[in-house]
Amino acid sequence: ADSVYTGFVQEFALSGADFVMSSMWPLQSQSAKKYSIEFFAVVDTEKNLFKSLEAANDSVFTVDRLPIVLMYP
């Protein structure tokens, strides 16, 4: 079956990435920046994917928030 993920995201998955975080639509720059910073800060300290996702989502709980698609290759 054809994958919905193509191009840049697909190449990361095919090259063996354990985890790919991407969006299928444009994001607000400041929200995406805050989300990424919080996500990776919590990953570094907690080593827990679900806590990282929760913290990242909480950091951008505003009108500018758009969901980010998570993909496990």
Side-chain angles (χ1 to χ4, degrees):
D2 290 335
S3 173
V4 69
Y5 302 101
T6 61
F8 191 65
V9 173
Q10 185 179 37
E11 290 305 314
F12 273 105
L14 293 175
S15 69
D18 292 329
F19 180 82
V20 178
M21 181 170 44
S22 68
S23 174
M24 296 170 71
W25 45 82
L27 297 173
Q28 296 290 329
S29 293
Q30 288 302 314
S31 293
K33 179 181 177 180
K34 286 172 67 175
Y35 189 99
S36 297
I37 289 170
E38 187 65 22
F39 177 84
F40 289 107
V42 176
V43 163
D44 284 344
T45 59
E46 298 286 332
K47 309 293 189 225
N48 183 304
L49 176 64
F50 298 107
K51 285 184 182 180
S52 300
L53 293 171
E54 181 179 35
N57 282 329
D58 290 347
S59 76
V60 293
F61 196 74
T62 66
V63 177
D64 293 335
R65 179 181 175 197
L66 290 174
I68 291 178
V69 175
L70 304 173
M71 179 181 125
Y72 301 89

